[in-house]
Amino acid sequence: MLQRPIYLDCHATTPMDERVLEAMLPYFTQHFGNPSSISHMYGWEAEAAVKKARETIANTISCSPEEIVFTSGATEANNLAIKGVAEAYFNQGQHIITVQTEHRAVLDPCHYLEGLGFEVTLLRVKKDGLINLDDLEKAIRPETILVSVMAANNEIGVIQHLTEIGEICHNHQILFHSDAAQAIGKIPLDVQTMNLDLMSLTAHKVYGPKGIGALYVRRRNPRVRLAAQLHGGGQERGMRSGTLYTPQIVGLAKAIELGLEEIESEGKRQRELRDRLSNQLSQLEGIYFNGHPTQRLPGNLNVSFEKVDGSALLLGLQSLVAVSSGSACSSTATTPSHVLTALGHQDSLAYASLRFGLGRFTTSEEIDQVAQATLVTVQSLRQAIVDCRF
Ligand SMILES: *Cc1c(COP(=O)(O)O)cnc(C)c1O
């Protein structure tokens, strides 16, 4: 039988934790009611499960349950946050600030708004992937209504200084949104100390099910106004209509809860595995580790290889290890990753890069095998170039 490759693509998605599945199962068949059905027990059971999940999630990020709006994932949460604020604050100003290295699910809604007449400033990042706080200060204008900066980058794992960014936004009374799809359950997030007004979450990057996420929307100091993007039955206080997906919501809460429970032990374990991988890869010459060395997700390692063809590298590894170059969403594209280019890499270098995404189920044996496979593949590809020349 064909041996399945080792999975090191946890920034694209993660396998579901069995404990999450177990929590979800009763809500597909036995407790299948519509949480909005107020006249019978089926509805009450589902409503109770949704209420509990909402409370659990709220506790983990220090907000109140009424500030959580369930969505189909982080893409929808980002769209709701950005377009929802743009529409609601249109009369106050039409300028939005975000960052070059954001996920497409932030950049594209901003781009869409540009088509409607909004102005968008894309902040550059430094070589380490972090934004310069002075640049943010300078970009703020009287008509700025929103700043959107991701918590942790999906390609290079860099964790932005949310607390400091939040303080700047707060001082200028500008709403602050963060896409925390990669961060939730992996690093501590506190919407109070970080002055966050909106934050996007998703379950499937943290061992939960696909197709569910949430948007945190601040209700006090200030109360964020949001224009709904999906109209219908009026669920989620009118901000997001559609029958609530009870099993997925239960799964989202369970996944975040487990992530938080194991945040320190898993962080330490994955960091050690990651360092083990980078130490072994360091035997190679002409390699660069992308992103800030310490201000990063424990499970992320992003490496660029000199004098190697990116697609040949992926092809050479693909039967042994499931990784991606750049982000999964753009791995079919031949253009280099916009994130790596933003770090100031030349195109060819940006292209020959691998994103290793370690996770809860990654073992040290796997890391050693992956390191070995990468070493051998890179060396043989480089040798092939030399052989061609002579
Ligand atoms: C995966 C990801 C998204 C998209 O999340 P979905 O729940 O799949 O829609 C958005 N932003 C970041 C940073 C991500 O990593």
Side-chain angles (χ1 to χ4, degrees), residues 11-12 72-76 78 103 105 150 152-154 179-182 201-205 211-212:
H11 302 297
S72 62
T75 301
E76 191 194 330
N78 288 342
H103 192 273
M150 72 199 320
N153 188 274
N154 50 298
D179 175 352
Q182 295 287 348
L201 309 176
T202 192
H204 76 100
K205 308 276 173 78
I212 188 72

Side-chain angles (χ1 to χ4, degrees), residues 253-264:
K254 186 71 184 178
I256 294 177
E257 191 179 25
L258 288 173
L260 212 72
E261 262 172 43
E262 300 175 0
I263 208 160
E264 273 181 36

Side-chain angles (χ1 to χ4, degrees), residues 357-380:
L358 287 65
R360 185 177 287 166
F361 306 110
T362 307
T363 65
S364 58
E365 292 73 30
E366 287 179 326
I367 288 300
D368 292 348
Q369 287 174 34
V370 169
Q372 197 53 35
T374 311
L375 288 175
V376 168
T377 310
V378 169
Q379 277 159 347
S380 69

Side-chain angles (χ1 to χ4, degrees), residues 4 44 48 91-92 100 118 164 170 180 182 185 187 238 250 261-262 265 279 288 303 338 357 368:
R4 288 164 67 77
W44 304 334
N91 289 329
Q92 223 159 293
Q100 276 186 339
F118 282 81
E164 289 79 357
H170 188 77
Q182 295 287 348
I187 58 167
V250 169
E261 262 172 43
E262 300 175 0
S265 55
N279 284 340
Y288 303 90
V303 197
H338 72 283
D368 292 348

Side-chain angles (χ1 to χ4, degrees), residues 15-217:
M16 220 164 69
D17 192 302
E18 298 277 350
R19 294 168 289 181
V20 175
L21 179 63
E22 217 164 283
M24 290 168 65
L25 282 175
Y27 296 95
F28 285 104
T29 48
Q30 202 182 354
H31 307 303
F32 62 88
N34 184 333
S36 301
S37 298
I38 52 170
S39 54
H40 53 69
M41 188 181 170
Y42 295 87
W44 304 334
E45 285 167 352
E47 157 62 13
V50 169
K51 181 165 181 274
K52 184 164 164 259
R54 212 186 282 283
E55 284 165 1
T56 302
I57 297 166
N59 281 336
T60 61
I61 60 169
S62 309
C63 72
S64 73
E66 301 78 42
E67 295 177 309
I68 298 293
V69 174
F70 291 112
T71 65
S72 62
T75 301
E76 191 194 330
N78 288 342
N79 272 266
L80 177 57
I82 295 166
K83 296 184 202 164
V85 163
E87 204 180 321
Y89 291 81
F90 181 79
N91 289 329
Q92 223 159 293
Q94 287 141 46
H95 179 235
I96 294 170
I97 299 172
T98 183
V99 185
Q100 276 186 339
T101 52
E102 291 289 314
H103 192 273
R104 287 272 156 227
V106 164
L107 293 175
D108 286 5
C110 287
H111 190 63
Y112 166 81
L113 289 170
E114 275 183 318
L116 298 180
F118 282 81
E119 274 192 88
V120 178
T121 299
L122 290 183
L123 299 175
R124 291 163 175 275
V125 294
K126 300 180 286 184
K127 268 198 158 59
D128 59 12
L130 289 166
I131 64 163
N132 189 332
L133 297 178
D134 288 339
D135 289 351
L136 172 61
E137 283 273 12
K138 283 183 203 138
I140 291 173
R141 309 179 196 164
E143 63 272 21
T144 309
I145 51 172
L146 179 70
V147 170
S148 181
V149 180
M150 72 199 320
N153 188 274
N154 50 298
E155 290 192 39
I156 53 175
V158 167
I159 300 166
Q160 298 288 350
H161 293 294
L162 293 189
T163 307
E164 289 79 357
I165 297 167
E167 203 173 295
I168 293 172
C169 296
H170 188 77
N171 290 342
H172 288 85
Q173 299 191 327
I174 296 168
L175 296 179
F176 177 33
H177 166 252
S178 185
D179 175 352
Q182 295 287 348
I184 186 73
K186 297 176 194 148
I187 58 167
L189 292 169
D190 183 316
V191 297
Q192 306 309 338
T193 59
M194 293 174 166
N195 277 309
L196 279 156
D197 300 304
L198 299 130
M199 182 165 70
S200 303
L201 309 176
T202 192
H204 76 100
K205 308 276 173 78
V206 62
Y207 316 96
K210 293 170 188 54
I212 188 72
L215 180 66
Y216 152 73
V217 187

